[in-house]
Amino acid sequence: MARVLSGIQPSGAMHIGNYFGAIKNFVIEQGQADAFYCVVDLHALTQNVEPEILASNTLDLMAIYLASGLNPDVCTLFLQSHVVEHTQLAWLLECTASMGELRRMTQFKDKGGDQEGTRVGLFTYPVLMAADILLYDVDRVPVGDDQRQHLELTRDLAQRFNHRFGEMFVIPEATIPAVGARVMDLQEPTRKMSKSVSSPLGTINMLDEPSEIERKIKKAVTDTDGEVRYDTAVKPGLATLLSIFAACEGVAPTIIAERYERYGDLKRDAAAALIEELRPIQQRYREYRDDPVALKAMMELGAAKARAVASQTYRRAADAVGLVAP
Ligand code: AMP
Ligand code: TRP
């Protein structure tokens, strides 16, 4: 059976980009593969975050995973920092990675890049991500489009390691969804929806109230030519709405476009579809989030399952580079 792994940072409210680009596919994959999903809390430390906020964001995201349909009896759900081998393998990989290849990462550049005050953790972040993946002999990594380059780096690091120290790691592939891989901001549709954008109207969070979702879609930027057509270059605002609607229905955006003549009708139905898509998740979320004892017990079981795999891979890699076993 193929193995998949993915992770999301607990760095604030999950938006529908995270949902359609990642979480929705995690749920599909858990039924088809041996799936590992983590909350990558160590990655969230690359930003300056208050300790109690990080802790509560972590439980929020675990509850979102469960509410979205990830089932700990079917997949392995865990917290990255509970499995120490992630940082241990990251070190081995850092000792094979070059400054040049990490400097080329566009996310690093977007987040400020190579400056005197830049955190070293932000620079080495993709190597920790590579360790997350390579520890589990993963075939596929379901992620949104923005992670493509990090996956390429992971493959490069794995190939280099294998070449130098003998066949060690499975070379993973990114699986990027056909629709929803890149959900754009509703106010600035040429930029991807993200947690860090200042326009709150442009981002729909998974836990937004239905009235809030309606309002944001109603106010979404479109254009004045009045023709419903899927064209990301010429009509990026409309294309964003069509993609969101399409991701809810599981069809191509062009199919949705054919059904409509007026922007207003499209917006109304897109909002309704999205509200329906998120409703069951929102209903279940509170239940999981309000029981931190159960969440922690679940994470403990997940970590034990993850550790059983990770510790073996790590030992194999450590032996290969010449670290003497205890
Ligand atoms: P992040 O919030 O950056 O940790 O991303 C978590 C997951 O959501 C990753 O797999 C991203 O590729 C995906 N993701 C983030 N933003 C978007 C977006 N606007 N559209 C599609 N996928 C996204
Ligand atoms: N870097 C990813 C992001 O920002 C999160 C991540 C960390 C990840 N480790 C991973 C994704 C392992 C997939 C697999 O979204």
Side-chain angles (χ1 to χ4, degrees), residues 240-263:
T240 300
L241 291 170
L242 287 166
S243 321
I244 292 171
F245 197 169
C248 295
E249 306 266 301
V251 298
T254 46
I255 305 272
I256 303 279
E258 283 165 12
R259 287 194 218 149
Y260 290 91
E261 279 175 8
R262 294 216 303 260
Y263 292 2

Side-chain angles (χ1 to χ4, degrees), residues 178-211:
V179 185
R182 215 173 148 73
V183 178
M184 308 308 273
D185 186 280
L186 295 176
Q187 291 296 315
E188 285 181 60
T190 50
R191 149 166 106 175
K192 74 167 183 167
M193 191 176 281
S194 96
K195 293 168 199 158
S196 50
V197 170
S198 47
S199 81
L201 264 184
T203 304
I204 298 179
N205 291 321
M206 290 179 68
L207 298 178
D208 277 352
E209 296 281 341
S211 58

Side-chain angles (χ1 to χ4, degrees), residues 4-8 22-31 33-40 62 65 70-71 74-80 140-142 302 306:
V4 307
L5 174 139
S6 199
I8 298 182
I23 299 172
K24 191 169 183 186
N25 303 298
F26 296 2
V27 178
I28 295 169
E29 282 281 19
Q30 78 174 342
D34 181 18
F36 286 70
Y37 299 117
C38 50
V39 170
V40 290
M62 276 294 173
Y65 274 173
L70 291 184
N71 176 350
V74 175
C75 66
T76 302
L77 261 185
F78 66 103
L79 187 57
Q80 181 191 33
R140 295 198 299 270
V141 183

Side-chain angles (χ1 to χ4, degrees), residues 89-98 127 157 160-161 165 321:
L89 183 64
W91 179 254
L92 302 193
L93 295 172
E94 273 173 40
C95 293
T96 70
S98 72
V127 185
L157 293 177
R160 188 176 311 149
F161 200 100
F165 300 107
V321 301

